[in-house]
Amino acid sequence: MTTTDAARAPETDADQQVSTTAGGRGEWWRSAVIYQVYPRSFADGDGDGMGDLPGITARLPHLAELGVDALWLSPFYTSPQLDAGYDVADYRDVDPRFGVLADADALIARAHELGLRVVVDLVPNHTSWEHAWFRAALAAGPGSPERARYLFRDGRGEHGELPPTSWRSVFGGPAWTRTTEPDGTPGQWYLHLFDSSQPDLDWSNPEVVREFQDVLRFWLDRGVDGFRVDVAHGLVKADGLPEWDAETEMITGTLAGQHGESRTPPPMWDQEGVHEVYRAWRAVLDEYEGDRMLVAEAWVDPVERLARYVRPDEMHQAFNFGYLVSPLDAAALKAQVEETSRAMAAVGAPPTWVLSNHDVVRHTTRFGLSTAGGNPDGLAAGDDQPDPAVGLQRARAATLLMLALPGSAYVYQGEELGLPDGVVPDDARQDPTWERTGHEVNGRDGCRVPVPWEGDAPSFGFGPTAASWLPQPAVYGELALDRQRDVPGSTYEMYRAALRLRRELALGSSPGLDWTDLDGAAEVEGGVLAFRSSGALVVANLGGEPVRLPDGAEVLLVSGELGHDGEARLLPPTTTAWLRGPAATA
Ligand code: NOJ
């Protein structure tokens, strides 16, 4: 039996700093369930087929009813939307497609009334090419202070016709684009780790540093409870932008691991300098009342490197992508839980758990594919299609396992309905990856299809009209919220019950979990995960044979149907149960 001190800060210097900086505040984020809202696809208030802030505000009671603690909003700022809003042209305003600034204020106020915290997205690695700074940089020419906010470089070759390095964009193609100078001649190149419409900022420039501290304050003053930091491991590049000709992967399931004998990270990821940025941001947040938080989107490997982002004077949480890409296998998941819990406890941070987001194939679909996990590249009509029933059964089992773990968990909009990815026709695809890879990579549109609220309404209640910026599959009608609410056993009611019990049992703030063996369970093929936490016994049967549940224990929640063998209750394969009772607490 192993004990993991997952959510408890260790008794070290780090512990003291945690409690000092927390100053007796609630530290709600340590155990919070945070629901990701993708504004384009959550709820459309005005019927133009694109979600918006008034639409979200009107649907906030759904999140309160579901029982989450907070929502995280993907970007809603002014943007040409060439990467769905992760290309920001003005960090202090709302894109007209989503509303106006007063709509953001109204959303924050309504969420707070409902007891929900609000985390907003911050995109500091790059701006949009429509940002005033980038326009000024192009107009000002080489050597100007305007250019020094970005990473402009002369090209190689006799006439500067070759890019400065071989770095490649995460979205495919080169990471450099050549400009035309104000006098019309071919000019310098600028770096973009993502789309060419997303020029990277130069974080060695103090003006950039000051600007983002100011943007933090802008939103903190408006009452937000935290920030999800986009590409948190990418802001600072290695000095001199050294050559790197391997793939620049990020959202493909390959974490930015350490390379070569020196075990150093690639020059664009996980550089030491990023930590200075986050220490300064932490100091800004700590000036504010309340319990504001920072969560890192950092695809780094191994988990000890990730833990460095959540040291006591840096961020509060980091997404656990190692868990997300893990196969649904008992040994693999147990290793993830143990390694993450250990690494996070060593710095006094809570572990986090996540199965889906706007960048990956939804877990209902992933687990329905023959590959059963990992991080596949979208879905095309001609690909092997998932088995929907298998996918949903596995997704429900995986969800009940995740929501029982100590720490904080992230839920992506629509997973509470068991939504699969939509299969988006090629001519409707919008992810820049599709074009940048010459149609080789399907991209992330499938997980971004608008959410169904009412089975019989146009656009399934996404908005007041039939318009939807990505086509919704027919099955979304069957899975709409109104088809599942108050229906015993529905995925929606399972999530609701799980979130209520998680709170009642204080599973998220449990100081740790104790792995346990059930009689005979250890021998079941594919494995069984069983642990006790906060007085509950959690059993995830990921093997191929039923598992006998302890006699006398009360079954609180189960992701499928229990079987019976005489008096004994059997947990079928691919099913998770939460129990309590004499046998569970003995
Ligand atoms: C990570 C975001 O989650 C993704 O959607 C975006 O495309 C990239 N960062 C670039 O901002």
Side-chain angles (χ1 to χ4, degrees):
M1 182 192 297
T2 330
T3 302
T4 50
D5 266 354
R8 180 168 48 209
E11 288 170 9
T12 60
D13 288 346
D15 182 35
Q16 299 215 327
Q17 287 180 52
V18 165
S19 43
T20 313
T21 49
R25 300 169 185 173
E27 298 199 328
W28 59 275
W29 39 271
R30 284 192 176 272
S31 58
V33 176
I34 302 177
Y35 183 101
Q36 181 187 358
V37 171
Y38 193 65
R40 296 170 72 94
S41 306
F42 188 67
D44 174 14
D46 61 10
D48 66 353
M50 172 83 59
D52 48 46
L53 298 187
I56 297 169
T57 304
R59 293 286 188 188
L60 286 176
H62 164 67
L63 301 190
E65 177 186 278
L66 180 60
V68 298
D69 301 289
L71 60 145
W72 146 38
L73 290 157
S74 281
F76 50 79
Y77 316 110
T78 315
S79 160
Q81 301 286 318
L82 295 175
D83 184 23
Y86 283 94
D87 47 327
V88 180
D90 183 349
Y91 291 85
R92 296 178 182 80
D93 208 349
V94 172
D95 191 274
R97 295 170 187 84
F98 298 134
V100 294
L101 202 49
D103 293 323
D105 292 338
L107 190 160
I108 295 166
R110 180 72 181 124
H112 286 166
E113 264 170 35
L114 291 165
L116 298 164
R117 313 253 182 177
V118 180
V119 173
V120 295
D121 223 300
L122 186 73
V123 188
N125 178 67
H126 45 265
T127 69
S128 160
W129 62 11
E130 289 192 8
H131 191 284
W133 274 9
F134 193 70
R135 290 174 186 270
L138 290 182
S144 61
E146 287 84 355
R147 286 220 171 163
R149 295 164 176 153
Y150 293 92
L151 292 159
F152 281 86
R153 295 290 182 273
D154 293 332
R156 290 174 299 175
E158 204 180 329
H159 306 289
E161 69 280 11
L162 298 172
T165 69
S166 314
W167 293 17
R168 291 178 218 165
S169 152
V170 173
F171 291 161
W176 295 95
T177 291
R178 194 168 195 189
T179 61
T180 303
E181 297 304 353
D183 65 3
T185 57
Q188 286 191 302
W189 299 70
Y190 65 90
L191 180 73
H192 52 88
L193 291 182
F194 296 89
D195 189 43
S196 54
S197 64
Q198 296 166 297
D200 279 51
L201 289 160
D202 185 347
W203 274 86
S204 67
N205 183 333
E207 208 186 338
V208 173
V209 173
R210 274 198 306 276
E211 167 67 2
F212 276 88
Q213 293 186 13
D214 204 60
V215 170
L216 287 178
R217 289 181 197 283
F218 179 87
W219 289 102
L220 289 166
D221 289 340
R222 303 195 98 81
V224 304
D225 299 285
F227 301 89
R228 175 263 189 194
V229 180
D230 190 62
V231 200
H233 58 312
L235 274 51
V236 174
K237 280 75 183 174
D239 278 348
L241 307 181
E243 187 54 323
W244 178 262
D245 59 7
E247 284 302 325
T248 308
E249 292 186 327
M250 189 180 90
I251 323 178
T252 55
T254 309
L255 307 179
Q258 300 175 334
H259 294 263
E261 283 186 10
S262 62
R263 307 286 295 155
T264 50
M268 68 290 291
W269 300 136
D270 199 22
Q271 300 296 308
E272 196 53 37
V274 294
H275 298 288
E276 196 183 320
V277 175
Y278 303 132
R279 280 192 285 271
W281 289 9
R282 177 61 176 261
V284 171
L285 264 67
D286 284 345
E287 286 172 27
Y288 279 78
E289 286 298 307
D291 194 8
R292 322 282 179 120
M293 60 85 92
L294 295 162
V295 52
E297 187 221 18
W299 291 77
V300 299
D301 191 29
V303 68
E304 287 71 24
R305 293 291 294 188
L306 188 64
R308 302 176 83 240
Y309 289 75
V310 289
R311 287 177 289 191
D313 58 350
E314 297 193 38
M315 301 214 210
H316 301 76
Q317 289 188 345
F319 286 103
N320 188 347
F321 296 121
Y323 188 79
L324 186 152
V325 301
S326 171
L328 193 58
D329 166 88
L333 287 169
K334 183 173 178 180
Q336 280 293 337
V337 170
E338 294 217 314
E339 285 162 20
T340 307
S341 302
R342 205 169 22 242
M344 295 298 150
V347 291
T352 69
W353 316 104
V354 61
L355 289 166
S356 283
N357 67 30
H358 67 294
D359 287 330
V360 299
V361 171
R362 287 176 174 278
H363 63 284
T364 298
T365 298
R366 273 198 330 263
F367 294 145
L369 293 166
S370 51
T371 43
N375 191 0
D377 154 37
L379 260 196
D383 292 345
D384 278 350
Q385 297 301 306
D387 180 322
V390 170
L392 186 60
Q393 188 185 6
R394 288 182 177 153
R396 289 170 56 120
T399 293
L400 280 200
L401 173 61
M402 174 181 86
L403 290 177
L405 294 171
S408 175
Y410 280 81
V411 169
Y412 177 48
Q413 65 180 33
E415 70 170 79
E416 76 277 22
L417 305 175
L419 293 188
D421 266 32
V423 180
V424 175
D426 289 351
D427 59 4
R429 291 192 187 284
Q430 308 229 1
D431 185 344
T433 321
W434 172 246
E435 289 300 333
R436 288 194 64 88
T437 59
H439 301 178
E440 260 182 37
V441 176
N442 295 321
R444 303 160 290 171
D445 295 306
C447 62
R448 299 174 175 181
V449 172
V451 168
W453 299 88
E454 294 146 39
D456 293 324
S459 69
F460 304 128
F462 166 56
T465 67
S468 168
W469 71 280
L470 286 174
Q472 297 166 296
V475 70
Y476 274 34
E478 293 157 35
L479 294 169
L481 178 66
D482 71 342
R483 300 282 176 90
Q484 299 199 44
R485 185 189 264 132
D486 299 326
V487 175
S490 70
T491 302
Y492 176 67
E493 291 301 337
M494 184 195 85
Y495 266 79
R496 233 174 124 185
L499 293 173
R500 193 188 65 242
L501 279 167
R502 178 186 156 95
R503 198 180 290 250
E504 277 170 27
L505 297 168
L507 285 169
S509 49
S510 166
L513 54 79
D514 294 326
W515 299 110
T516 183
D517 281 336
L518 298 178
D519 280 351
E523 288 85 53
V524 173
E525 189 199 339
V528 171
L529 288 178
F531 61 85
R532 297 177 198 279
S533 178
S534 260
L537 170 65
V538 176
V539 186
N541 182 2
L542 306 177
E545 301 291 330
V547 174
R548 183 181 168 140
L549 293 176
D551 296 336
E554 178 194 359
V555 176
L556 300 173
L557 188 59
V558 59
S559 68
E561 299 272 323
L562 289 186
H564 291 274
D565 179 7
E567 292 290 290
R569 291 158 312 168
L570 300 178
L571 185 68
T574 321
T575 310
T576 299
W578 294 5
L579 303 105
R580 177 174 54 193
T585 49

